[in-house]
Amino acid sequence: MRPATASVEISHPGLATTVQDRGRAGFQRFGVPLSGALDSMALAAANTVVGNDAGVAALECLYRGCEIIARTDSVRIAVAGEGAGLEIFSRSGNPLRRSPTLESATLRDGQRARVR
């Protein structure tokens, strides 16, 4: 049986949105920088809320948030960070709900979420 794969489209990347994980600890002697998320606690918290392992890669949005569209049956999402939240919209663009920081939400195929 093939594992389920969530898929999203980044419809608006925002300003300085990157994909980050916990970094590459233990490889500095080979010239590989640690890198990773700026806020590793927020990364771990958001992953935990949606049921992922703490270090799974996620979108890190700095300054202005991004907008994503679900491209599979369902995608579980959450945001973490001071003052962050999600706005969820239907396929037709109607507002459905707001989700505060560290509260997960499920996007259905075609629904859109904006990080605020």
Side-chain angles (χ1 to χ4, degrees):
M1 184 173 172
R2 201 176 104 205
T5 302
S7 177
V8 296
E9 173 188 331
I10 309 299
S11 57
H12 296 285
L15 184 61
T17 299
T18 59
V19 178
Q20 297 294 335
D21 60 12
R22 283 200 169 159
R24 305 290 171 263
F27 294 96
Q28 291 77 19
R29 66 181 178 206
F30 302 113
V32 178
L34 179 61
S35 299
L38 288 175
D39 187 344
S40 59
M41 296 281 287
L43 172 70
N47 270 318
T48 299
V49 169
V50 297
N52 291 339
D53 290 334
V56 170
L59 295 176
E60 184 172 70
C61 303
L62 303 177
Y63 310 115
R64 287 185 20 216
C66 65
E67 288 186 17
I68 63 171
I69 301 171
R71 293 298 183 207
T72 52
D73 289 339
S74 68
V75 177
R76 197 88 178 140
I77 60 174
V79 294
E82 183 64 33
L86 288 170
E87 294 176 299
I88 311 291
F89 299 90
S90 69
R91 288 180 184 181
S92 60
N94 295 323
L96 295 176
R97 69 178 273 209
R98 287 182 171 229
S99 180
T101 190
L102 291 180
E103 182 180 294
S104 67
T106 299
L107 288 183
R108 303 289 178 208
D109 190 22
Q111 289 182 332
R112 182 172 50 96
R114 178 185 310 144
V115 178
R116 54 178 170 82

